[in-house]
Amino acid sequence: MKNILFNDISLAPLCKAHLDELAPCLRAADRAEMWAAYRLQAREGLELCRQRSVLAVAFVYRGKAAAAAGVEAQSLLGRRGCVWSWTGESVDGCAKSFFRASRAALDYFLTLYPLLYAACDVRYAAARRYLRRLGAREAGPAFYLAGKETRFVPYVFSRPDGA
């Protein structure tokens, strides 16, 4: 994926340096969701997501990683993948650009995997609104991942052309 620029935010291939920048400033709600999903601290959880992904991008705002997103394929030749996104506190300063960059990344992910799914912590209302605004729809009952302190809501995305 080539670099895409929206005002002060750009998309770049996710690297370890981005993870090092993002981990200390990850939003508290993202940290809680990451713990509930993986039982990992921020840096280790980000690394796990990066390693599992066939494609991952950093949202770079004013020269620093503000968020990261990627897609983990169910199989490399398949049509389905799990999309993930983790945000830092600085996305509040570039909300419109961040959303436009998120839309661009998601559109690209959907060209590779026409059916994407995600899981979102039921407690994280802002993330659930973000998913719905990006076009996701709830896809079933909530479920547990690593522990019993919170449930996750499944969401699905599909290409607008119905492919």
Side-chain angles (χ1 to χ4, degrees):
M1 178 176 210
K2 63 183 179 179
N3 285 2
I4 298 173
L5 182 65
F6 297 103
N7 295 332
D8 289 339
I9 198 165
S10 63
L11 295 175
L14 185 64
C15 67
K16 289 184 179 189
H18 294 132
L19 303 183
D20 292 338
E21 286 178 356
L22 182 57
C25 62
L26 211 60
R27 288 177 171 183
D30 283 70
R31 288 177 189 277
E33 183 177 43
M34 188 176 286
W35 180 258
Y38 304 120
R39 291 294 191 255
L40 293 172
Q41 297 299 321
R43 179 61 176 83
E44 292 78 18
L46 290 167
E47 181 63 33
L48 178 68
C49 289
R50 187 187 71 81
Q51 287 176 354
R52 289 181 172 178
S53 297
V54 294
L55 179 63
V57 295
F59 298 84
V60 179
Y61 177 58
R62 295 183 177 168
K64 295 199 179 211
V71 62
E72 179 182 341
Q74 238 177 9
S75 71
L76 288 178
L77 300 176
R79 297 174 42 84
R80 302 171 66 117
C82 180
V83 69
W84 55 267
S85 177
W86 301 107
T87 56
E89 294 164 356
S90 63
V91 298
D92 292 334
C94 60
K96 287 182 182 179
S97 295
F98 173 69
F99 184 79
R100 288 178 50 210
S102 297
R103 168 52 59 202
L106 178 64
D107 289 346
Y108 184 70
F109 295 164
L110 283 165
T111 65
L112 301 172
Y113 299 95
L115 180 61
L116 294 174
Y117 56 92
C120 187
D121 185 332
V122 297
R123 303 171 297 180
Y124 201 172
R128 294 179 70 192
R129 281 191 306 274
Y130 167 76
L131 288 169
R132 287 190 300 270
R133 188 167 174 222
L134 283 171
R137 62 186 190 286
E138 287 191 29
F143 58 92
Y144 294 99
L145 285 174
K148 298 289 187 183
E149 78 275 4
T150 192
R151 294 173 301 136
F152 285 79
V153 177
Y155 286 88
V156 294
F157 295 92
S158 57
R159 289 186 13 200
D161 60 10

